[in-house]
Amino acid sequence: RGEVAKGSAEIFFRKVKFWKEDGQEEAPPVFNVDGVNYFHVKVVGLLFVATTRVNVSPSLVLELLQRIARVIKDYLGVLSEDSLRKNFVLVYELLDEVIDFGYMQTTSTEVLKSYIFNEPIVVDAAHMQPLGPAAIFMQGTKRMPGTAITKSVVANEPGGRKREEIFVDIIEKISVTFSSSGYILTSEIDGTIQMKSYLTGNPEIRLALNEDLSIGRGGESANDYRSSYGSGAVILDDCNFHESVRLDSFDMDRTLALVPPDGEFPVMNYRMTQEFKPPFHINCLIEEAGHLKAEVILKVRAEFPSNITANTVVLEMPLPKYTTRASFELEPGVTGQRTDFKGANKKLEWDLEKFVGGVEHTLRAKLTFSQELHANIIKEAGPVSMTFTIPMYNVSRLQVKYLQIAKKSSSYNPYRWVRYVTQAN
């Protein structure tokens, strides 16, 4: 609303770049400098920032930034520094419609279509660097065309004909806490079914989920759901649906009917806390190895089938504050693994590019300390944390059984893609 000084972008960038206070690695999503609140989210390596002097709800602004990123991605087809530079005018026009004098209007790709007149300039996706979770769709060319996620929803194909296809992604973010002896203390799945439609003429779609899907534990006791776990039932704690979804037949046969709007949108969000088998199991052993020395042994086992591979697996473990050196020993003959000791915040880091199901990997680390050990090393080290992405795998066993498109013509057969991915939350 014009109340923030001109150089705020520079102030923000400096602040984020040199955020080393309290040994922090990253700037928090919300901070205040000279009375200006800065909110930011990071989407595929780009920072989306909002500034205000007013006391607004942070979650509202962060959600808005996520949605702005999604709208821009819908229009440009691919979100990258290159595509933003080339489409600066279009992005400016979009922001002008999404936010009016500091007030939010709409973040719907469908609604914005009638106000936006610039055509997107398509960026060649072939020579682009796949970034983070966005790269999950690049692997397994058998399963999945790589161009799918890099196409604009609004731009027509070069031949004037749109390619008729629809994508459904089941994305599950899982959070699990283990006790030191390896028992599961908490486990939760945060899931979403995302859809992106390139179908012309807005036909109705029917999406069928597992028939044995139940929502909320219908009055059964907590011990009861183990029996249903064996029978393969999927029990969600709660879920919500996009406003375009009709639930007429959901209670009978678990199908959702909808006319998908343009752009990417969540058909359904769900949460599940029923016990599930975590994809990885971690064992950690720490023992003193003489004067001012200790040894850490980390073992990680993948509990999923061997035809599935996890990507970008990273394990982190905080070490005692008085650690001065760490030397690492990996199994003989392994490739694609990197280890690092971050001296500034005393952390051990272990990166595994690929992790095949059913396999176990071990890391040994020899630690050297700077002072007499007064404290208990085991209390000072840990907890071990882990991030990963597993394409074509989901823990909750929620499935899209079929995808029906209601168009009468017999020759009409669009491409339907259903993809699954599990990520560490």
Side-chain angles (χ1 to χ4, degrees):
R1 296 177 196 163
E3 88 258 283
V4 174
K6 269 278 189 288
S8 59
E10 185 61 32
I11 295 167
F12 168 80
F13 193 67
R14 287 234 163 111
K15 199 81 182 153
V16 166
K17 213 162 164 50
F18 303 114
W19 197 275
K20 280 281 178 274
E21 226 169 51
D22 314 328
Q24 292 279 343
E25 287 181 24
E26 298 235 311
V30 184
F31 57 84
N32 185 304
V33 181
D34 300 335
V36 177
N37 299 312
Y38 291 85
F39 305 83
H40 78 282
V41 298
K42 203 174 197 170
V43 185
V44 289
L46 296 168
L47 292 167
F48 288 78
V49 193
T51 55
T52 174
R53 284 187 183 277
V54 189
N55 182 14
V56 290
S57 157
S59 47
L60 175 80
V61 182
L62 296 174
E63 173 68 20
L64 172 71
L65 289 171
Q66 292 280 7
R67 289 194 184 197
I68 287 175
R70 194 162 74 209
V71 166
I72 294 174
K73 183 178 166 217
D74 280 344
Y75 274 81
L76 307 190
V78 63
L79 202 49
S80 71
E81 199 172 329
D82 198 23
S83 66
L84 276 176
R85 279 183 206 282
K86 284 191 177 160
N87 288 286
F88 182 77
V89 180
L90 169 61
V91 171
Y92 202 88
E93 190 184 16
L94 279 167
L95 286 175
D96 226 13
E97 297 298 342
V98 171
I99 299 176
D100 218 345
F101 195 66
Y103 293 94
M104 292 161 227
Q105 303 301 316
T106 177
T107 56
S108 153
T109 305
E110 182 85 8
V111 174
L112 287 166
K113 242 167 92 172
S114 52
Y115 303 115
I116 301 294
F117 299 105
N118 278 293
E119 275 289 306
I121 300 161
V122 181
V123 175
D124 177 25
H127 59 261
M128 276 176 35
Q129 194 68 22
L131 269 167
I136 56 179
F137 305 125
M138 303 297 195
Q139 288 120 2
T141 40
K142 300 192 295 293
R143 306 192 178 115
M144 190 35 250
T147 57
I149 50 155
T150 60
K151 262 181 15 184
S152 167
V153 172
V154 293
N156 282 318
E157 298 283 288
R161 213 182 89 259
K162 265 192 170 179
R163 181 168 180 197
E164 296 281 336
E165 53 189 349
I166 183 162
F167 294 89
V168 180
D169 290 327
I170 293 89
I171 301 167
E172 295 192 338
K173 297 189 170 173
I174 60 175
S175 311
V176 183
T177 320
F178 295 98
S179 69
S180 55
S181 51
Y183 286 104
I184 298 176
L185 300 175
T186 63
S187 57
E188 180 173 356
I189 300 174
D190 246 318
T192 175
I193 300 180
Q194 292 271 8
M195 190 179 272
K196 194 168 194 176
S197 158
Y198 294 101
L199 302 175
T200 48
N202 289 33
E204 185 180 88
I205 284 175
R206 293 190 84 80
L207 198 73
L209 305 173
N210 310 37
E211 276 145 27
D212 53 9
L213 175 70
S214 53
I215 291 157
R217 305 214 177 111
E220 50 190 306
S221 74
N223 313 332
D224 233 24
Y225 65 82
R226 280 173 187 256
S227 55
S228 65
Y229 181 74
S231 67
V234 179
I235 302 170
L236 306 180
D237 290 47
D238 50 56
C239 59
N240 58 37
F241 301 92
H242 190 262
E243 64 260 23
S244 66
V245 176
R246 288 207 331 278
L247 298 169
D248 314 343
S249 58
F250 183 65
D251 284 338
M252 270 158 36
D253 56 3
R254 294 301 184 221
T255 57
L256 307 172
L258 69 149
V259 174
D262 275 338
E264 199 172 335
F265 68 98
V267 179
M268 164 182 170
N269 297 314
Y270 57 92
R271 208 165 52 100
M272 179 172 152
T273 52
Q274 178 196 344
E275 279 186 23
F276 57 85
K277 188 175 168 188
F280 291 100
H281 214 278
I282 304 175
N283 278 71
C284 181
L285 188 68
I286 307 173
E287 42 193 32
E288 290 187 36
H291 184 59
L292 293 186
K293 282 186 172 23
E295 189 172 32
V296 175
I297 301 171
L298 266 178
K299 273 187 174 26
V300 187
R301 191 172 68 251
E303 299 277 359
F304 42 87
S306 57
N307 60 343
I308 285 166
T309 303
N311 301 323
T312 54
V313 179
V314 180
L315 281 96
E316 283 192 335
M317 177 178 180
L319 299 172
K321 294 277 178 282
Y322 39 79
T323 309
T324 50
R325 261 194 20 249
S327 63
F328 299 105
E329 189 186 311
L330 291 163
E331 304 144 309
V334 295
T335 54
Q337 295 192 16
R338 280 200 347 270
T339 52
D340 192 10
F341 169 58
K342 299 254 194 295
N345 45 16
K346 308 292 187 201
K347 250 188 194 165
L348 166 165
E349 205 175 88
W350 180 19
D351 294 14
L352 301 95
E353 258 171 52
K354 292 208 165 359
F355 205 129
V356 180
V359 174
E360 183 172 88
H361 288 296
T362 308
L363 169 72
R364 288 169 183 273
K366 292 187 165 56
L367 311 181
T368 311
F369 302 129
S370 63
Q371 64 182 64
E372 288 298 331
L373 297 180
H374 297 300
N376 178 346
I377 318 174
I378 294 170
K379 285 215 167 79
E380 293 259 330
V384 179
S385 61
M386 183 175 190
T387 56
F388 51 82
T389 297
I390 315 174
M392 299 320 280
Y393 175 77
N394 74 332
V395 186
S396 68
R397 298 200 302 281
L398 179 79
Q399 283 185 324
V400 172
K401 295 289 187 191
Y402 65 81
L403 193 66
Q404 260 183 1
I405 298 168
K407 247 191 184 180
K408 295 295 178 272
S409 130
S410 56
S411 61
Y412 179 73
N413 190 15
Y415 293 91
R416 306 170 174 84
W417 304 99
V418 178
R419 309 174 290 188
Y420 296 84
V421 66
T422 295
Q423 293 176 332
N425 204 12

